[in-house]
Each structure stands twice: as structure tokens, then as C-alpha cells.
Amino acid sequence: MTLELRPLSDAIGAEVLSVDLASPLGDGVIADIRAAWLDHNILLFRDVDWTPAQHVAFTRRLGGLHIMPGLAHETSTNHPDYPEIMVVSNVKRNGVPIGLRRAGWGWHSDGEDKRLPNMGSLLHALKVPPGQGDTAFANTTKAYEALDPAICARIEGKLGRFSRVERHNHNYPDLPPLTEEEKAGRPDVWHPVTRTHPETGRTALYIGRWAVEIEGVPKAEGEALIEDLTQHAVKPEFTYTHRWRKGDAILWDNRCTQHCALPFDDEAYERHMQRTTLEGDTPFYEAPGGARIESYVP
Ligand code: SIN
């Protein structure tokens, strides 16, 4: 079977027109979905009507599932019956939050602050606010390819330090601070800021809101450089903003994209999404001469 696809934008993404994710899918279709995903970086499926078990089962066809650790000790972020599903939601039941509010309000790729960042993520929209609550996606391969050569020479093959501990309060101001135990469990990690995709071999810019420092660059200068690189990566020519409909599911590749949940009026409206997350492997950069630079935790 060949998938019927429709581009979402010039920058990134395709809508898959010919597959009902809730139906039984043969290995050939899964292989086609994977190939389309690698080509387009994000795939949109419409009118997906499935149970949490089907969401988990489909994602598992693409790889091992990551169970998201709680972000802060008081917050339950995973589905009570399916811990493989992270609940991204501002909905409360009996006054108690049922998911993580304001998750991903800032450009990032999932797991960039972890030693093994996530390969991919699949977000399913169950309730969306009218006319808001969009998610923007950036194609970081295109962003890398369009880098100013002088900037590229400064960062090519360099490692950047990503820090949950330093950025937690900034990125999640509404959550309690991390406990000392949580801090110990989330050590800083150094990742190549130019990252080779393990399946396509293409290089992407690998930076995001947990990055705090670039190897060999003085701290303040490095922060300014990270800000410049982030602004570059999310230029309109590299991005697509998705206006969600109930039943939409988007599969993205964290190795060559960034995404950002756009803030919405979450006092007035409910937004309820469920996400499965694929395990990833050690990021690396393969230099043209063959040298390989890998992520590490000091
Ligand atoms: C996320 O960062 O995974 C959440 C994105 C969203 O809710 O739009």
C-alpha cells in the first residue's frame, strides 16, 4: 500500500489521508507510515477515535515506549491505567488536575534534557479550545541547512549542556521546585548541538529551551548564541502551526524537529490531550571525516 499524503506546509509535515489508526494495520502500512514520518518529520492523522489501549498499541509498533517521570513530586502526569500515556491537560476532576497543565509552552524537543532523548511523540487531541491552543512545529534539519556558515562553523560538532535543574523553575513556573531527590535524578547532559539523524543521516540543529551552555563558549555569550539559534530555528520558513481539531493525532520526530504549545486562555477553556512517547537512543554527530561525537552525562 502506498500512503496518500497531503503536505501541511512547505516547511514540514504531511497529513495521512488513507489510514484509520483505529483499524488493524499490517506491517506494510506501519513501514509506510515510518517512511513517510522520516520524510516529513511530522504526520497528521485526522478523526482518530481510539481507546488509550489502541493509542499505546499503535505507538508500540514504532518502537519502545517511554514512561514519563513525574515532573514535580505533587503532579500526576500519566494516565491512571496506562502509564505510557502522558496527559497534557488543564482539566480538573473534583478540583484535582488530571494531567500536566501548560506542558511544552516553549520551543523544545521531548527529552532533550535527558541522556536518552525521546525518538518521537504522538499527541492525540481529545478536547481543544475554540480558535486557540495550537502547536507549532519547526523543521530543524532545514534550519541547520540554512545556518549562516560563520555560525555553523562555531557550533558544528560542539556539545551543548541541557539542564533540567537550571531551567525547571523558568520553564515550569507554575510547578513546585524540584526536590533534591528529583534534581539528583535529572543530571545535566551534554548533547551535540548539530545532530546526525540515525535513520536518515541528515544533520539537524539540536537546541531547545533546556539548553544553557555551549562547549568552549563563555556562559553569557553561549546563552546569547542559544537564543539566536532558537530564533533562527523557528523562523516562519521552517515552521508550521497546527490548529487542532478533536480527533487529530500528530506523530513527530524529536530528532529533527522542535515544537511549542502556544499559550491559550486556560482559565476560560479546557484543552485535553494524551501523548505517547517513544524511547530514543544516544544522540551523536558524525563529522564529514567520520569522527563521532556523542552525548554524555558528566
Ligand atoms: C508537548 O510538548 O508535548 C505538548 C504539546 C502540546 O500540548 O501542544
Side-chain angles (χ1 to χ4, degrees), residues 88 103-104 108 110 123 133-135 244 252 259-261 271 273 275:
V88 176
H108 66 287
D110 296 325
L123 187 66
D134 303 348
T135 306
W244 293 93
W252 64 82
H259 59 280
C260 176
R271 181 179 187 269
M273 323 281 280
R275 194 187 89 190

Side-chain angles (χ1 to χ4, degrees), residues 147-203:
L147 273 175
D148 178 291
I151 305 270
C152 193
R154 274 181 89 193
I155 63 163
E156 185 100 55
K158 289 266 178 74
L159 293 154
R161 182 167 64 87
F162 292 67
S163 178
R164 165 68 60 171
V165 171
E166 278 181 39
R167 298 293 286 173
H168 173 79
N169 294 342
H170 179 271
N171 291 341
Y172 282 97
D174 301 323
L175 287 182
L178 298 178
T179 62
E180 289 309 312
E181 192 185 343
E182 285 169 332
K183 285 183 188 172
R186 304 295 290 263
D188 291 0
V189 54
W190 290 83
H191 293 305
V193 297
T194 56
R195 179 176 179 183
T196 305
H197 194 291
E199 293 184 77
T200 67
R202 296 178 74 185
T203 306

Side-chain angles (χ1 to χ4, degrees), residues 88-119:
V88 176
S89 181
N90 63 334
V91 174
K92 288 184 178 172
R93 287 219 179 102
N94 303 321
V96 179
I98 61 167
L100 183 63
R101 183 172 166 232
R102 301 190 172 183
W105 284 23
W107 285 100
H108 66 287
S109 59
D110 296 325
E112 66 181 42
D113 62 317
K114 296 177 185 150
R115 193 179 73 77
L116 295 179
N118 304 111
M119 172 169 70

